Amino acid sequence: MSQARLESIQQLRDALRAFAAERDWDQFHSPKNLSMALTVEAGELQEHFQWLSEQASSALAGEELAAVGAEMADVFIYLVRLADKLGVDLLQAAAAKLEVNGRRYPADKVRGSARKYREFKAE
Ligand SMILES: [Mg+2]
């Protein structure tokens, strides 16, 4: 099987639609199941970092980095499939969330701090 070159989320969405249709898997791709599958894959991603030091987690290479990339792809695939099923425009949703986060976390108030929104809002 040749590796398709994907250049947009829409192309990935369409490839995933075709992949599921060819296997008659669409029947299993309810939003509930897709959200669960996404979480499972996120767990598989985390497994690669479990027990690593901060430093080691930033220094992955070779086969380990490739394996992490493959789990990231799994998460991305389920997220795109879920967005397709729910009619969510992921780029638009991300842009909207970025704007909300920009308002919630003004750079001049939070620079260099990892505190949550509620923690500095009360000050
Ligand atoms: Mg996986």
Side-chain angles (χ1 to χ4, degrees), residues 41 44 70-71 74:
E41 296 300 341
E44 290 179 6
E71 296 302 349
D74 285 338

Side-chain angles (χ1 to χ4, degrees), residues 29-79:
H29 288 180
S30 66
K32 177 191 76 70
N33 285 348
L34 291 168
S35 70
M36 290 179 177
L38 192 159
T39 303
V40 169
E41 296 300 341
E44 290 179 6
L45 174 62
Q46 286 182 310
E47 210 172 358
H48 290 276
F49 294 101
Q50 192 176 22
W51 313 123
L52 293 185
S53 67
E54 300 285 333
Q55 194 175 12
S57 74
S58 297
L60 299 181
E63 284 182 19
E64 188 61 21
L65 182 57
V68 165
E71 296 302 349
M72 292 168 67
D74 285 338
V75 171
F76 189 43
I77 282 168
Y78 279 123
L79 184 62

Side-chain angles (χ1 to χ4, degrees), residues 1-2 16-17 27 33 48 53 58 72-73 76 83 100 106 110 113:
M1 189 173 141
S2 67
L16 295 173
R17 283 179 184 176
Q27 60 183 314
N33 285 348
H48 290 276
S53 67
S58 297
M72 292 168 67
F76 189 43
V100 167
V110 302
S113 168

Side-chain angles (χ1 to χ4, degrees), residues 92-104:
Q92 275 304 112
K97 194 63 207 253
L98 199 55
E99 194 182 320
V100 167
N101 289 344
R103 272 186 268 115
R104 238 180 223 178

